[in-house]
Amino acid sequence: MHVNSTAFSPWIRDELIETEALLTDEITMATKDSHHALANRALIRAHRQDCRAAIDDAKNVNLFQFFCVAVLTRVYSKSIRTQPSVMGYIALAIAHIRSCERDAGFKALDFAFKQCYPSDLDFLLLIKAIILYVDKKYDDAMTRVHALINATDDKSMYYSVLSQMYFLHGIARMEQGQYEHAIQCFERAQVPVQIHLSPQLEAIMLMFRWNFDGLGITVQRCLCEALYAVGRTREAAEALLKMISTSGEEVRKGVGHSEWVTDFMRRCIATFETEGDTASSSGNHEEAINQYSVALSLDPTAHGLFLKRSKARALKALWEDALRDANKV
């Protein structure tokens, strides 16, 4: 995928209007075939739901017109007219899929396979799986990515895409209130490799507006929130502590992550304290001790919790432990 640096910067920031304007300038000022810029603008227009214009950017009106009309009964894009471009066909496929023109989209993708180099075949198979996901064929898409993972030694890119698919699936389930299903998706999204932003992943980010930067932390945050939403607060706290222990540096540097950790920890502690108070009031001092202890694992400086746990331990005749807690106040 070829994108000049001027257009790349706003595109990666998801500033689509500015990116389209820059690509239009590039096409207008081009002194030779501008098939890369046309294919890129087709993608931008598809993202902006301007699918007719996107398809027009991918429309063949010259060299391949007779062939395409005969086989596909459609006219293809300027980017394909100027040069038979794999990206031109991919952009066309995405535009058709976003226009709910499934058959035309996958016919365009077939031509991308005909144009690609053998070394690019696996990547194009991955693109097809993502297009299937965009087309809401979720199970088929994920099955294909799993097959690619099993068929290659370098699994990082494929695991990254699979993680994104499960993550998006989990978000959709949370929005529908299906938290238990969302939890399963977020757990599956935690892949066994570190995500590296390779040129291929950057291309996927641009093609589909998927963000792999910080995906691992984002998945763990969503898992914590989903667990908390269904009352599985202790598991949520465990997931939070695991995230901090394994990704502490990324948490500190990531935009908004440290603030979220502080807020989520506060909510968990408040829940544990409330449940501890309820257990203590009903005479279940063992459960109260457990709840206060979990809260203290999140904030070992909470003097009020030490005092409450000291009282609960004294009522259980755990004198030494009660005294130890009291001395920390």
Side-chain angles (χ1 to χ4, degrees), residues 152-167:
T152 184
D153 293 328
D154 186 2
K155 304 177 187 296
S156 176
M157 175 175 63
Y158 306 103
Y159 268 127
S160 301
V161 168
L162 189 65
S163 177
Q164 181 79 3
M165 288 179 172
Y166 279 122
F167 166 67

Side-chain angles (χ1 to χ4, degrees), residues 38 67 115 123 165 203-204 217 223 253 259 262 275 289:
L38 282 163
F67 181 75
Q115 295 293 333
F123 181 67
M165 288 179 172
I204 291 170
I217 293 291
L223 176 60
K253 290 183 177 180
E259 292 84 357
T262 300
E275 291 179 357
I289 292 169

Side-chain angles (χ1 to χ4, degrees), residues 10-55:
W11 193 346
I12 205 72
R13 296 193 303 267
D14 209 32
E15 297 171 358
L16 302 183
I17 295 175
E18 180 181 350
T19 306
E20 181 176 349
L22 290 169
L23 289 170
T24 299
D25 289 343
E26 181 182 350
I27 293 163
T28 302
M29 294 184 294
T31 57
K32 58 181 180 180
D33 288 344
S34 54
H35 57 284
H36 294 307
L38 282 163
N40 293 336
R41 190 174 68 176
L43 288 169
I44 293 294
R45 287 176 165 177
H47 293 330
R48 297 189 61 208
Q49 304 300 317
D50 189 2
C51 294
R52 289 297 102 194
I55 290 170

Side-chain angles (χ1 to χ4, degrees), residues 48-185:
R48 297 189 61 208
Q49 304 300 317
D50 189 2
C51 294
R52 289 297 102 194
I55 290 170
D56 184 60
D57 268 350
K59 184 171 53 176
N60 175 17
V61 293
N62 193 356
L63 182 59
F64 295 102
Q65 184 177 27
F66 174 78
F67 181 75
C68 292
V69 168
V71 177
L72 303 181
T73 67
R74 288 187 180 273
V75 286
Y76 280 107
S77 93
K78 298 169 187 171
S79 86
I80 296 171
R81 180 198 66 193
T82 56
Q83 183 169 328
S85 160
V86 172
M87 278 308 307
Y89 289 119
I90 291 174
L92 183 62
I94 292 171
H96 277 306
I97 292 295
R98 292 193 183 278
S99 295
C100 299
E101 299 170 346
R102 187 174 188 274
D103 290 344
F106 284 102
K107 285 176 181 176
L109 197 59
D110 287 342
F111 279 93
F113 277 93
K114 289 180 178 293
Q115 295 293 333
C116 78
Y117 294 109
S119 59
D120 294 331
L121 184 59
D122 284 351
F123 181 67
L124 199 54
L125 286 169
L126 183 62
I127 295 299
K128 184 172 183 177
I130 297 172
I131 290 176
L132 281 164
Y133 188 91
V134 172
D135 192 38
K136 300 182 180 180
K137 302 298 185 291
Y138 305 122
D139 291 341
D140 189 6
M142 293 178 183
T143 298
R144 288 169 183 259
V145 179
H146 276 293
L148 286 167
I149 289 171
N150 293 331
T152 184
D153 293 328
D154 186 2
K155 304 177 187 296
S156 176
M157 175 175 63
Y158 306 103
Y159 268 127
S160 301
V161 168
L162 189 65
S163 177
Q164 181 79 3
M165 288 179 172
Y166 279 122
F167 166 67
L168 293 174
H169 222 46
I171 292 295
R173 292 296 175 265
M174 282 188 72
E175 291 173 350
Q176 296 165 5
Q178 300 175 12
Y179 291 101
E180 292 292 351
H181 193 170
I183 289 166
Q184 295 176 15
C185 292

